[in-house]
Amino acid sequence: MYRRYSAALVGVVGMVGALVAVPPVVVEESVPQVAWAACPEDVVVPPSVQVRCARVPVPLDYRDPDGTQIELMVSRIASTKPAKRRGVLMFNPGGPGGTGLDQPGFLVGRGLPSSVVDAYDLIGMDTRGVGHSSPVSCGFTVEGGYWGNIPPYAADDAAVTAQAGIAEEVAARCAATDTEGRLRHLTTANTARDLNRIRAALGEEKASFYGASYGSALGAAYASMFPDTTDRIVLDSNIGDTHLDRDGLRRYALGMEQTFPDFARWAAARHGSYGLGRTPQQVRRTYLTIAERLDGTPAPDGLTGAMFRAVTFASLYHEVQYGNLARTWQSYLDPGDAQPLSATAATPHPGDNALTVFLAVTCNDVEWPEGVATYRRAVAEDRERYPLYGAASANILPCAFWRYAPTEPPVTVNDKGPRNVLILQNRRDPVTPYAGGTLLREKFGQRARLVTADESGHGVYVLGNNACAVNVTTAYLVEGAMPAKDTACRRG
């Protein structure tokens, strides 16, 4: 997820038939126009920004378009320059499971260029199952032992087996709480269909889209399923396909290996302040020393080696977090006498909704291997290949025990259509490494251009540091100036 750097770690902090291809056709005449009103109080926007919200009904199951309907909530920051207005620009901040109603306001507050704000009505949304859009829940609690989007680091085979037990229990709990039968309909393909339905409800012939992290997969699916009604598409920090699968999850470990040296150089240059190592190699050894010690003996405050690794991984999302990460490491060089963690029994998990949506979409989009032995082998391989984090991202998810089979194949990237997909990618990104950008560029072929920023962290546009990449993206969104060829942007 793009704007909340730790969102990939929310929580650290029955079969339904054969695969059926579902046509993307939506009968637009049946889509009611939206009625804008005040947004819920928890939609946070900067002062002086006018945001309104509305509800859009969509089918729970697009195979039965006249059946059960659910409501999606969307937000709008309307262009105040009619002469400059091009249309609507829809946003997705990632996840899956991330709330997006406040995403346009957040980006405006962080400096989204006024030329973009003038050119579009900025449309945020909670996607199906999220927040104010018919939310779902597996009933996660703080004490439940489920980590969230990325499994815990497995120090040995026994740790994989233990995590498999937790994963199986989570899958069973999600199925048991799904009394309204909604979870099986949370897929990237259905969310892309929702985007097209929202476009129609807004009265627009076409819609532009900006998606980051998982939002890149959603945007890739949207542009592939609806090439004729998508306008300008920007995909930032890319998973590499239209869905997150096991290979994509395992690439997190590659991303950490590629990004960690940036923090190591930063910390080595500040050894006099933090004492983590005089060279990047020494900083790396410090990381492994702390993690391995905590594997054997958790800290007095309850921190384990797996938690320490997860905190470090999440802190690589952006350089502004390096100082806090370094201070955290200091505390575990000499952990002192911190008190053990405690919690009230069955405390509701603050990330329950996001965790549930992540699992539903990820597990429903594609078949995952079921045998625990498959994950044991992968963890052993990646522990050696990617020592920093491989034994986490290769570990087992509840998808291995998910009770619902995919109802259709994952969306195939469609390379036939207009040249309207701009792909943004940092060279070093812990969660969506550079390989994801190049994979998606290859799949889209001549429909796309790749902008590579020689930067570190998760997110290129607006929150990134690269002037070249920001300028190229703004020129595309405002003027339609797609680069003639793939573009490499120097650092800064």
Side-chain angles (χ1 to χ4, degrees):
M1 197 173 171
Y2 180 30
R3 68 184 176 86
R4 295 184 178 91
Y5 299 117
S6 62
L9 294 162
V10 173
V12 171
V13 191
M15 316 298 282
V16 293
L19 297 179
V20 179
V22 183
V25 176
V26 177
V27 182
E28 296 184 8
E29 290 78 4
S30 66
V31 180
Q33 299 296 296
V34 302
W36 297 106
C39 293
E41 292 183 357
D42 61 351
V43 179
V44 179
V45 296
S48 77
V49 175
Q50 298 296 317
V51 182
R52 303 285 280 175
C53 288
R55 295 187 180 276
V56 178
V58 299
L60 175 64
D61 184 350
Y62 276 91
R63 296 170 299 182
D64 183 16
D66 297 322
T68 301
Q69 303 289 299
I70 59 175
E71 285 192 325
L72 309 180
M73 182 170 283
V74 301
S75 64
R76 181 183 69 172
I77 299 176
S79 169
T80 60
K81 303 291 180 60
K84 296 182 177 181
R85 184 186 182 278
R86 176 177 180 82
V88 297
L89 174 59
M90 299 191 289
F91 291 84
N92 183 269
T99 180
L101 286 173
D102 57 354
Q103 183 72 0
F106 173 80
L107 292 176
V108 168
R110 292 299 298 264
L112 185 69
S114 60
S115 55
V116 177
V117 178
D118 292 343
Y120 297 96
D121 291 352
L122 309 179
I123 306 299
M125 68 193 71
D126 282 352
T127 55
R128 60 170 52 207
V130 174
H132 294 280
S133 293
S134 306
V136 293
S137 168
C138 286
F140 290 110
T141 62
V142 172
E143 303 77 18
Y146 179 60
W147 278 63
N149 300 6
I150 306 173
Y153 186 94
D156 51 31
D157 276 356
V160 181
T161 302
Q163 181 62 19
I166 294 172
E168 186 170 16
E169 189 278 329
V170 166
R173 182 192 310 168
C174 289
T177 59
D178 186 28
T179 56
E180 297 183 6
R182 292 184 179 181
L183 287 187
R184 69 191 67 191
H185 300 294
L186 269 62
T187 67
T188 299
N190 279 340
T191 303
R193 296 180 179 107
D194 292 343
L195 293 177
N196 199 52
R197 180 63 68 100
I198 291 168
R199 172 201 59 78
L202 295 174
E204 301 288 336
E205 292 184 5
K206 293 187 175 184
S208 296
F209 178 87
Y210 170 86
S213 197
Y214 165 76
S216 70
L218 175 58
Y222 181 43
S224 295
M225 295 172 68
F226 301 100
D228 296 331
T229 57
T230 50
D231 192 11
R232 295 171 183 172
I233 305 296
V234 178
L235 308 180
D236 188 338
S237 305
N238 297 270
I239 288 175
D241 212 321
T242 62
H243 56 279
L244 178 63
D245 59 13
R246 187 161 165 258
D247 289 340
L249 187 64
R250 289 176 75 176
R251 280 195 292 272
Y252 291 8
L254 169 65
M256 184 164 180
E257 291 285 348
Q258 293 175 339
T259 309
F260 184 87
D262 290 323
F263 169 72
R265 284 189 290 271
W266 183 96
R270 294 161 178 81
H271 176 74
S273 296
Y274 297 103
L276 302 181
R278 297 181 183 279
T279 66
Q281 294 76 17
Q282 289 177 356
V283 174
R284 183 182 177 98
R285 285 198 295 272
T286 298
Y287 168 83
L288 294 172
T289 297
I290 296 173
E292 289 165 5
R293 187 184 73 232
L294 294 173
D295 285 337
T297 306
D301 64 359
L303 191 88
T304 65
M307 292 176 181
F308 173 76
R309 290 178 173 93
V311 168
T312 299
F313 173 81
S315 297
L316 298 180
Y317 272 42
H318 202 280
E319 292 179 7
V320 298
Q321 301 182 130
Y322 285 2
N324 283 335
L325 177 60
R327 189 172 59 207
T328 298
W329 282 30
Q330 279 185 300
S331 67
Y332 294 103
L333 284 173
D334 182 13
D337 55 359
Q339 296 300 309
L341 299 176
S342 62
T344 303
T347 306
H349 200 298
D352 171 47
N353 177 231
L355 294 174
T356 300
V357 174
F358 172 85
L359 277 182
V361 174
T362 302
C363 301
N364 288 336
D365 272 356
V366 64
E367 292 277 7
W368 287 70
E370 297 180 1
V372 177
T374 298
Y375 296 92
R376 288 198 197 99
R377 287 193 297 271
V379 165
E381 291 170 3
D382 286 6
R383 187 187 297 114
E384 295 298 319
R385 183 165 51 168
Y386 306 121
L388 297 177
Y389 209 52
S393 62
N395 204 355
I396 192 165
L397 279 175
C399 296
F401 305 99
W402 200 242
R403 301 300 177 87
Y404 311 120
T407 57
E408 58 182 315
V411 177
T412 300
V413 172
N414 179 6
D415 62 359
K416 303 296 190 295
R419 183 180 296 173
N420 67 339
V421 180
L422 187 67
I423 298 172
L424 311 178
Q425 188 65 51
N426 281 332
R427 280 281 182 188
R428 299 169 300 284
D429 182 324
V431 64
T432 53
Y434 185 64
T438 59
L439 283 169
L440 201 56
R441 169 67 177 90
E442 180 180 359
K443 291 170 183 174
F444 268 115
Q446 289 306 305
R447 286 194 67 186
R449 291 291 182 265
L450 172 64
V451 177
T452 299
D454 185 15
E455 305 290 349
S456 181
H458 191 49
V460 177
Y461 191 51
V462 181
L463 293 187
N465 296 318
N466 193 278
C468 162
V470 170
N471 290 339
V472 169
T473 306
T474 299
Y476 174 59
L477 286 173
V478 176
E479 303 166 10
M482 173 71 79
K485 59 182 181 179
D486 293 346
T487 301
C489 292
R490 296 179 180 178
R491 187 171 178 84

